[in-house]
Amino acid sequence: MKNILIINSGSSSLKFQLIQMPSEKVLASGMVERIGLDNSRLHYKAQDQLTEELEIRDHSEALKVITDHLRHPQTGVIKQKEEIAAVGHRVVHGGDVFSETIRINEQVKEKIQEYFSLAPLHNPANLKGIEVSEKLFPAAEQIAVFDTSFHRSIPRKAAQYAIPNELYEKNHIQLYGFHGTSHKFVSKKAIERFNKENSKIISIHLGNGCSITAIKDGKSLDHSLGFAPVNGLIMGTRSGDIDQSVIFYLIDELGYTSQEVSDLLHKESGMYGLTGYSDLRDIEEKAAAGDKKCQLALDMNAYRIKKYIGAYIAAMNGADALVFTAGIGENSDVIRSLVCKDMDFFGIELDEEKNKNRDKKLREIQTGDSRVKIFVIPTNEELEIAQQSFELIS
C-alpha cells in the first residue's frame, strides 16, 4: 500500500486528497479556498469534517495547514510526512512535450513555466503547488499529470489550424485540449457501464472552465478547447469562441493593449461578462426571478453546447452517450434541460424527472425511448491522478 497525496492547485485555491493505493481508499480530502484573500477557509474531511476560517497568505501556508491536519493527533491520518510516497500534481498545459504522466525534475518545471502564457490562470498556480510540496515532502516523488495528455490522440486534421504550415511545424501552434484528466475518467466510467470498448461518447465538462470532447473507443477524437484554455464553450469568465476580427478591432480601433484583450477574454467575459455573475447558481436564481440578461446568458450557454454536440455527432457518425460532469454538469438540472431540449432528431431525449434527481452517484437521465444514453457522472480527477501516479512509481 502506498499513500499518494493529490494536489490540484488553482490561482486562489488548493484542493487535495490523500488516497491509499491500490485500494483507492480516500484517507482525507478537502480544500483551502480564497488563498491570499479575506476570509480564507479550510475544508478538511477525514474521520470527521471541519471548516476553519484562517488567514492564509499563499499556497505555501495553505499546504502547510493541510499537512498539519494530516498529522494532527485528533484529525490526522498519518504520523510522519514520510508516509506519503508520492505527490501527484494536476498540471493544465503540457504542450507537445508531455504526452504521459512524468516524474518532476528541473527540466519539467522549466517546461511548465514556458507554458505560462498559454494557461495564465493555471500553470503558474500548478508550478507553485509543485515547488511548495517539494519543500514540504522532500522524501516523496513528485509526479505531474497533464490535462493535455489525453488529447494527444486527436488526429492532425482536427488539431492543426488553417494557418501557414511552418507555424505548426516549427512553433507548435495547434489544438492541445484541456480537462483531459476529467474527460478520461468519466469516459472510462461510461465505457464500463456500456461494457463494450467500441463506443462514441460526447463528454461535457461544465465548471468555471468548460469543455466538450468527442471520444471514440476510449480515445479523444476532437475537443472544444485549443491552443490555450479560452475558446470553445462559454465559461465562467472566459469568452469561448469569438471572431478573431473582434480582437483586432479592440486593439486597432478601441485602443486596447494585447494584455488588456487577454485579460478581457480570460477574466472579464463569459457568464460574468454577460450578467455580472460568474457563479451559475446566482445566474439561475436571477433568471428564475425574471432577469432577462441572466436568462439570455443561460440560453447562449446551452446553445453553444448544442452546436458542439451536433458537430461531434457528425465527426463520429453518431453518439452512444452524452456525459455531463464537473460542478455545473453534475448539479445544474437547468443547463442539462436546456442543452437536451429539441434534440430528439439525434435520438437525445431527456427525462425531466430523472434530471431533477440530486443523487451524487453515476446515473442515467434519458427517457426509455432515447436512442442516446444521457449520463451524469461525477468526475474524480484526483483519483485519476492517483491511479496514474501509482502506475508510474510501482
Side-chain angles (χ1 to χ4, degrees):
M1 292 288 183
K2 293 184 178 180
N3 295 330
I4 298 179
L5 178 64
I6 308 304
I7 298 295
N8 188 342
S9 185
S11 57
S12 62
S13 66
L14 196 154
K15 298 179 184 178
F16 77 94
Q17 285 192 25
L18 183 61
I19 302 177
Q20 189 178 77
M21 296 296 290
S23 67
E24 300 184 356
K25 180 181 179 181
V26 178
L27 302 178
S29 63
M31 71 178 296
V32 178
E33 58 182 348
R34 298 183 59 81
I35 296 171
L37 304 172
D38 294 336
N39 303 317
S40 302
R41 190 174 289 112
L42 165 72
H43 303 278
Y44 178 89
K45 181 179 180 181
Q47 296 91 343
D48 298 308
Q49 190 166 346
L50 63 89
T51 298
E52 294 180 352
E53 286 198 4
L54 303 165
E55 184 179 336
I56 300 176
R57 293 173 295 181
D58 55 33
H59 288 70
S60 180
E61 289 187 6
L63 194 51
K64 186 178 184 304
V65 167
I66 291 168
T67 305
D68 289 344
H69 273 285
L70 291 173
R71 296 187 300 162
H72 194 277
Q74 277 76 47
T75 62
V77 292
I78 59 173
K79 294 181 179 179
Q80 303 293 332
K81 290 190 291 186
E82 289 71 24
E83 293 177 46
I84 294 174
V87 183
H89 299 269
R90 178 204 177 199
V91 181
V92 166
H93 210 309
D96 62 349
V97 175
F98 302 111
S99 59
E100 297 178 346
T101 298
I102 192 170
R103 288 178 171 85
I104 296 170
N105 55 28
E106 290 303 314
Q107 289 73 32
V108 171
K109 288 191 289 183
E110 287 173 6
K111 282 294 181 183
I112 292 171
Q113 188 165 7
E114 279 186 29
Y115 297 129
F116 275 13
S117 62
L118 301 183
L121 299 182
H122 302 92
N123 270 38
N126 301 156
L127 181 58
K128 188 175 292 186
I130 290 168
E131 292 172 338
V132 170
S133 65
E134 285 178 327
K135 294 176 182 177
L136 281 174
F137 305 101
E141 294 202 60
Q142 306 292 327
I143 310 294
V145 178
F146 297 91
D147 271 6
T148 48
S149 296
F150 179 59
H151 301 298
R152 293 303 298 276
S153 57
I154 293 176
R156 185 167 174 174
K157 66 180 181 181
Q160 185 172 348
Y161 297 117
I163 55 179
N165 279 319
E166 65 180 30
L167 292 171
Y168 173 82
E169 294 163 354
K170 294 181 180 180
N171 302 105
H172 313 292
I173 296 175
Q174 64 178 81
L175 184 155
Y176 287 107
F178 302 92
H179 297 141
T181 309
S182 174
H183 288 296
K184 182 176 182 179
F185 180 84
V186 298
S187 62
K188 286 197 303 185
K189 291 293 182 183
I191 290 169
E192 289 172 7
R193 185 77 167 225
F194 283 135
N195 195 27
K196 66 174 186 176
E197 286 298 322
N198 298 322
S199 57
K200 299 173 181 177
I201 296 167
I202 298 175
S203 173
I204 310 166
H205 177 108
L206 304 176
N208 191 50
C210 302
S211 64
I212 181 168
T213 306
I215 302 171
K216 188 174 182 180
D217 302 336
K219 294 184 178 181
S220 179
L221 190 73
D222 203 350
H223 177 76
S224 61
L225 292 169
F227 183 62
V230 68
N231 64 304
L233 306 182
I234 297 172
M235 296 172 250
T237 63
R238 283 171 269 174
S239 65
D241 289 338
I242 188 170
D243 181 350
Q244 299 93 324
S245 300
V246 173
I247 297 171
F248 305 133
Y249 185 82
L250 290 169
I251 293 173
D252 297 336
E253 299 297 329
L254 300 186
Y256 282 69
T257 65
S258 61
Q259 184 58 55
E260 287 171 338
V261 173
S262 177
D263 289 343
L264 183 147
L265 296 179
H266 281 92
K267 302 175 183 179
E268 302 167 19
S269 297
M271 300 299 276
Y272 176 76
L274 292 169
T275 68
Y277 305 96
S278 60
D279 192 314
L280 195 82
R281 291 169 294 188
D282 294 331
I283 296 169
E284 288 182 359
E285 182 180 331
K286 296 290 183 181
D291 189 309
K292 293 183 179 179
K293 284 185 179 179
C294 288
Q295 185 59 57
L296 176 60
L298 292 173
D299 291 339
M300 290 172 64
N301 191 312
Y303 181 72
R304 183 76 57 84
I305 297 168
K306 289 161 77 88
K307 287 207 298 183
Y308 270 90
I309 290 172
Y312 290 165
I313 287 175
M316 294 191 293
N317 191 24
D320 296 312
L322 302 183
V323 176
F324 288 93
T325 193
I328 292 170
E330 295 168 28
N331 295 301
S332 176
D333 56 278
V334 173
I335 286 292
R336 293 194 300 262
S337 179
L338 288 171
V339 168
C340 295
K341 185 178 180 181
D342 298 328
M343 296 283 273
D344 50 291
F345 179 84
F346 294 116
I348 298 169
E349 298 184 41
L350 182 76
D351 185 312
E352 290 291 354
E353 288 303 314
K354 291 179 181 177
N355 183 42
K356 292 176 182 177
N357 183 354
R358 293 289 181 174
D359 196 332
K360 296 297 183 182
K361 297 179 181 178
L362 184 155
R363 60 194 188 275
E364 297 183 24
I365 57 173
Q366 75 276 0
T367 67
D369 295 329
S370 180
R371 299 194 307 275
V372 175
K373 290 186 179 296
I374 307 172
F375 291 122
V376 178
I377 302 181
T379 192
N380 194 333
E381 294 170 289
E382 288 78 16
L383 178 56
E384 182 64 33
I385 293 170
Q387 291 169 343
Q388 293 187 37
S389 298
F390 181 70
E391 288 176 9
L392 186 65
I393 66 173
S394 297

